[in-house]
């Protein structure tokens, strides 16, 4: 039973436009959420996170929004750049525990 | 400072053979995790060490998988005997304390296992 789901396997966006990646979760015990970015042949790298006590966290071009009632989060990238092309993984955890539960990933392609 | 390192980067073995994957976490990180990604699916949790102790091994698929972390430094993951469905990329990650605000795990580049 998958507790974190990314229902869009891929997303294609023009350079300079906004990229919106979505993620849904089912476990209401999750209280911390993260986005990871992965390039081919590399390990995932941390991008941005948000605590369940917040509904928004911003870091430069990246903003994560959390809607707890809908058990939904999204990652906005503005403006998108070709170097942002990668696989983006949504992850969730119970903060007192170590392990992350990941979604399937969304392949983002940003066209010049 | 060195990141998480994994060896080998790619291993091709035949069904029934044994493979051992190694992970060196970031120095000072007590927490070490193994994950696996199969054929473009989710990155799935296998187990979690705190120092040399297994904190959570709920994700280990079966008893063909054996993970160790002797001395609380590097870890090995042995698959014996390997089956076709074990093919995938095995990621190792490390972190400081689970309860820290960032909750961030640092990942290695992964070991790709192909079982023929």
């Amino acid at each position: 039973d998958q507790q974190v789901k990314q229902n869009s396997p891929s997303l294609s966006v023009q350079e300079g436009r906004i990229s919106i990646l979505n993620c849904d979760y089912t476990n209401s015990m999750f209280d911390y959420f993260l986005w990871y970015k992965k390039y081919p042949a590399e390990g995932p790298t941390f991008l941005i996170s948000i605590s369940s006590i917040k509904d928004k966290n911003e870091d430069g071009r990246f903003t994560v929004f959390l809607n707890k009632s809908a058990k939904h989060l999204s990652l906005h990238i503005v403006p998108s750049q070709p170097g942002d092309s990668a696989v983006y993984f949504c992850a969730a955890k119970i903060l007192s525990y170590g392990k992350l539960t990941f979604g399937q990933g969304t392949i983002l392609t940003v066209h010049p | 400072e060195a990141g998480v390192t994994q060896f080998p980067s790619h291993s091709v073995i035949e069904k029934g053979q044994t493979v051992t994957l190694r992970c060196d976490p970031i120095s000072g990180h007590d927490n070490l995790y193994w994950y696996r990604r199969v054929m473009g699916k989710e990155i799935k949790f296998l187990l979690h060490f705190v120092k040399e102790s297994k904190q959570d091994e709920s994700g280990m698929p079966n008893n063909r998988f054996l993970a160790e972390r002797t001395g609380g430094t590097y870890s090995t993951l042995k698959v014996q005997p390997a089956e076709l469905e074990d093919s995938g990329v095995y990621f190792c990650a490390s972190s400081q304390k689970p309860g820290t605000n960032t909750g961030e795990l640092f990942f290695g580049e992964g070991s790709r296992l192909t079982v023929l």
Side-chain angles (χ1 to χ4, degrees):
Chain A
D1 178 36
Q2 211 171 335
Q3 299 183 56
V4 177
K5 293 182 182 178
Q6 295 174 253
N7 291 318
S8 297
S10 62
L11 174 67
S12 183
V13 170
Q14 204 69 30
E15 181 179 6
R17 307 294 288 267
I18 185 171
S19 295
I20 300 176
L21 297 104
N22 294 303
C23 176
D24 297 292
Y25 63 96
T26 57
N27 188 343
S28 57
M29 297 290 289
F30 289 141
D31 55 7
Y32 205 80
F33 304 88
L34 306 90
W35 285 93
Y36 277 77
K37 176 179 177 180
K38 185 186 175 308
Y39 292 116
E42 294 185 8
T45 55
F46 171 74
L47 189 57
I48 192 169
S49 61
I50 187 167
S51 164
S52 60
I53 62 173
K54 295 186 175 181
D55 54 18
K56 176 182 174 181
N57 187 28
E58 194 171 350
D59 183 3
R61 298 185 296 111
F62 303 90
T63 303
V64 56
F65 295 91
L66 175 63
N67 182 333
K68 277 184 64 178
S69 60
K71 294 191 177 69
H72 177 84
L73 63 155
S74 60
L75 174 68
H76 292 210
I77 307 173
V78 183
S80 301
Q81 300 173 353
D84 296 330
S85 297
V87 181
Y88 288 78
F89 290 95
C90 170
K93 68 179 292 185
I94 301 169
L95 198 54
S96 56
Y97 291 97
K99 75 178 188 184
L100 296 179
T101 300
F102 285 88
Q104 311 95 303
T106 296
I107 302 170
L108 173 66
T109 304
V110 180
H111 298 284
Chain B
E1 182 181 310
V4 177
T5 56
Q6 293 187 243
F7 183 83
S9 57
H10 192 186
S11 182
V12 182
I13 62 173
E14 298 209 342
K15 176 183 171 181
Q17 289 186 321
T18 298
V19 63
T20 300
L21 311 177
R22 173 173 168 141
C23 169
D24 287 79
I26 293 172
S27 177
H29 281 191
D30 288 342
N31 294 278
L32 186 149
Y33 306 81
W34 283 99
Y35 283 84
R36 177 173 72 174
R37 187 175 191 221
V38 175
M39 285 294 289
K41 295 189 177 179
E42 75 270 25
I43 301 172
K44 212 161 192 179
F45 169 80
L46 295 178
L47 89 160
H48 171 203
F49 283 101
V50 177
K51 296 185 181 179
E52 67 275 7
S53 299
K54 291 176 185 173
Q55 181 78 12
D56 180 355
E57 49 184 327
S58 61
M60 293 288 264
N62 52 60
N63 58 10
R64 295 185 294 102
F65 289 75
L66 176 63
E68 294 180 322
R69 193 183 181 196
T70 308
T73 54
Y74 71 92
S75 174
T76 58
L77 179 65
K78 182 193 282 189
V79 185
Q80 179 183 29
E83 297 289 343
L84 298 178
E85 65 264 23
D86 300 333
S87 296
V89 181
Y90 290 77
F91 290 105
C92 176
S94 71
S95 72
Q96 293 176 315
K97 294 179 183 179
T100 56
N101 288 334
T102 63
E104 176 185 352
L105 301 188
F106 296 85
F107 281 82
E109 295 187 346
S111 291
R112 179 176 294 278
L113 173 63
T114 302
V115 183
L116 302 176

